[in-house]
Amino acid sequence: VYPEVYFTVSEVEEIAVLESDISAFVAQNYANWIVNGGIEQGWDSYIRRLGQMGLDRYIKIYSNAYQRYLSL
């Protein structure tokens, strides 16, 4: 369970944009793979696209918030 962490205003704004795009992309691919299969063939491009969408930044924001939580 991820603890209740707090974000700065700028982090909240950035998360909103990143999460919207990333969540939609993940859900679309998940549904496609369930119905049509092909995860093995599409996995590398899926991971590449998540990187292009800012997944590393999204993870970094959560990591920073978690580090602030630990320092309380």
Side-chain angles (χ1 to χ4, degrees), residues 18-50:
L18 292 170
E19 189 167 21
S20 174
D21 293 342
I22 290 170
S23 293
F25 179 71
V26 168
Q28 176 187 12
N29 280 277
Y30 179 77
N32 182 51
W33 289 328
I34 294 294
V35 173
N36 301 314
I39 191 170
E40 295 84 11
Q41 297 81 7
W43 185 255
D44 290 338
S45 64
Y46 172 74
I47 295 299
R48 247 188 327 277
R49 181 69 180 125
L50 284 173

Side-chain angles (χ1 to χ4, degrees), residues 1 5 11 14 19 21 29 33 47 55 62 67 70-71:
V1 175
V5 298
E11 287 173 337
E14 196 171 358
E19 189 167 21
D21 293 342
N29 280 277
W33 289 328
I47 295 299
L55 182 62
Y62 269 85
Q67 291 305 316
L70 291 177
S71 68

Side-chain angles (χ1 to χ4, degrees), residues 45-65:
S45 64
Y46 172 74
I47 295 299
R48 247 188 327 277
R49 181 69 180 125
L50 284 173
Q52 293 167 349
M53 296 176 86
L55 182 62
D56 290 339
R57 177 64 186 146
Y58 182 79
I59 292 170
K60 181 68 173 161
I61 292 169
Y62 269 85
S63 178
N64 290 344

